[in-house]
């Protein structure tokens, strides 16, 4: 997705013009991937723009920072307000929001603590090409020859930049092989997730997704979809998924802030179920988008109004 500049970026405590939010090439994070980020979306609703999962994403941001020893120099409420302010002041109706916390400029060497911790929050439109097709027909996916990080190598529960070296290898390989996305197995060969999405399978009426112990990022959308499924009376299970279940699943889909709920139509060239979006996927999509767009009652308080 090509970036469309917006007027402002929140940078270390204040809104600055988009082009002024810059860093030095010797910034620690540029060399050692010492940055943590979030991806959040704001949706247009009948009552105005609202951020989906604001508290869940801010909580995960602080958890990621704690895992990789990156002390955010602002309290949680300040970051929460800054996210809303960034959307509001850029006058977005719908946008993607990217908070970023990183080790800045000062000293070079892996030891991070001689560098300041800096924070930026950007918000910009995220327009999907062929959105309708993607959401109705779904993606062709290939199982990657790369594995997710072993649990004692990198912290998959932290949304830390370094983990995305793995994601980039996965998506590049998938596209080179002619697929739209990659699906990665964990170090033991069980299904883990996509390059930047959690994965779900429907098998004999039950909704399956890998557990947090399968080297996944614990997605906010994943948690929402599990909740939605239970409310729709669909049985759910979070347990290890052997690779061969991909072949016999009736339906499969990805979830994520960018992916939302996107069907998977084929895996390694083999149709998933009938090769079209299945009925369970469709029901979950309808409820997810209904809540996100403010058309269905937000009983769980997942939406935070931006208020102009
Ligand atoms: N896994 C990875 C590796 C991701 O980057 C993302 C996107 N943040 C997800 C899963 C989905 O998480 P969420 O639903 O919170 O966007």
């Amino acid at each position: 997705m090509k970036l469309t500049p917006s007027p402002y970026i929140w940078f270390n405590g204040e809104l600055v013009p988009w082009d002024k939010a810059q860093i030095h090439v010797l910034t620690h994070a540029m060399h050692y991937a010492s940055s943590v980020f979030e991806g959040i979306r704001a949706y247009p609703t009948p009552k105005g723009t609202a951020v989906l999962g604001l508290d869940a994403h801010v909580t995960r941001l602080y958890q990621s920072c704690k895992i990789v020893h990156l002390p955010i120099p602002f309290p949680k409420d300040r970051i929460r307000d800054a996210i809303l302010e960034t959307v509001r002041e850029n006058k977005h109706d719908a946008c993607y929001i990217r908070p970023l916390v990183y080790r800045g400029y000062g000293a070079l060497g892996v030891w991070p603590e001689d560098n300041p911790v800096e924070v930026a929050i950007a918000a910009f439109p995220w327009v999907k090409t062929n959105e309708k097709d993607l959401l109705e027909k779904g993606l062709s996916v290939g199982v990657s020859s790369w594995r997710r990080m072993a649990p004692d190598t990198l912290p998959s529960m932290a949304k830390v930049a370094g983990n995305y070296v793995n994601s980039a290898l996965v998506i590049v390989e998938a596209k080179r092989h002619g697929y739209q996305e990659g699906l990665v197995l964990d170090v033991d060969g069980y299904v883990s997730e996509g390059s930047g999405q959690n994965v779900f399978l429907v098998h004999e009426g039950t909704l399956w997704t890998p557990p947090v112990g399968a080297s996944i990022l614990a997605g906010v959308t994943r948690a929402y979809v599990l909740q939605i499924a239970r409310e729709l009376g669909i049985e759910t299970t979070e347990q290890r998924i052997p690779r061969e279940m991909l072949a016999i699943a009736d339906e499969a889909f990805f979830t994520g802030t960018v992916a939302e709920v996107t069907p998977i139509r084929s895996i390694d060239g083999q149709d998933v179920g009938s090769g079209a979006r299945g009925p369970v996927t469709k029901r979950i999509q309808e409820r997810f988008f209904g809540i996100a767009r403010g058309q269905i009652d937000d009983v769980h308080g997942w939406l935070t109004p931006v208020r102009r």
Side-chain angles (χ1 to χ4, degrees), residues 4-260:
T4 311
S6 296
Y8 306 109
I9 288 180
W10 192 92
F11 200 35
N12 293 324
E14 57 177 347
L15 288 171
V16 302
W18 177 276
D19 289 337
K20 296 273 184 265
Q22 296 190 359
I23 56 160
H24 195 279
V25 291
L26 293 178
T27 296
H28 190 273
M30 285 289 291
H31 300 252
Y32 307 113
S34 52
S35 62
V36 149
F37 62 99
E38 267 305 318
I40 316 175
R41 246 183 211 265
Y43 286 87
T45 81
K47 293 188 202 147
T49 299
V51 176
L52 182 65
L54 179 61
D55 291 320
H57 284 284
V58 171
T59 296
R60 190 173 65 189
L61 182 70
Y62 278 75
Q63 288 173 345
S64 297
C65 285
K66 187 164 186 201
I67 291 169
V68 300
H69 313 289
L70 197 59
I72 308 189
F74 296 98
K76 235 176 174 175
D77 280 358
R78 183 79 201 283
I79 294 298
R80 192 181 181 279
D81 290 348
I83 289 169
L84 294 170
E85 186 188 356
T86 307
V87 177
R88 190 186 313 119
E89 295 306 315
N90 282 303
K91 301 193 172 11
H92 289 306
D93 292 324
C95 64
Y96 178 82
I97 308 157
R98 168 53 58 86
L100 176 72
V101 184
Y102 61 94
R103 285 280 176 189
Y105 169 90
L108 210 64
V110 176
W111 170 253
E113 294 185 10
D114 295 330
N115 295 283
V117 179
E118 309 206 285
V119 185
I121 302 165
F124 41 85
W126 192 296
V127 183
K128 289 185 192 170
T129 41
N130 299 332
E131 181 170 29
K132 197 167 175 291
D133 250 27
L134 273 178
L135 295 178
E136 283 178 15
K137 299 210 173 83
L139 296 167
S140 67
V141 167
V143 174
S144 185
S145 69
W146 294 96
R147 295 287 176 92
R148 285 292 283 170
M149 303 77 72
D152 50 357
T153 58
L154 287 166
S156 67
M157 281 187 81
K159 202 165 164 60
V160 59
N163 289 349
Y164 287 82
V165 175
N166 178 263
S167 295
L169 290 167
V170 168
I171 181 86
V172 169
E173 181 191 66
K175 293 209 182 217
R176 288 214 171 142
H177 290 174
Y179 301 114
Q180 290 165 292
E181 250 304 338
L183 187 57
V184 207
L185 306 180
D186 70 12
V187 71
D188 294 321
Y190 292 91
V191 175
S192 177
E193 61 179 348
S195 66
Q197 311 88 352
N198 292 114
V199 67
F200 285 80
L201 301 180
V202 179
H203 180 60
E204 295 176 352
T206 297
L207 187 65
W208 290 61
T209 197
V212 284
S215 296
I216 65 166
L217 180 77
V220 172
T221 323
R222 173 184 179 277
Y224 288 178
V225 161
L226 285 169
Q227 176 79 30
I228 286 171
R230 289 190 284 263
E231 284 165 10
L232 292 174
I234 299 162
E235 202 177 313
T236 65
T237 178
E238 295 171 62
Q239 56 172 305
R240 280 181 142 185
I241 300 181
R243 178 175 183 167
E244 59 270 30
M245 266 190 80
L246 301 172
I248 58 173
D250 302 312
E251 302 180 33
F253 59 86
F254 278 135
T255 65
T257 300
V258 170
E260 298 169 307

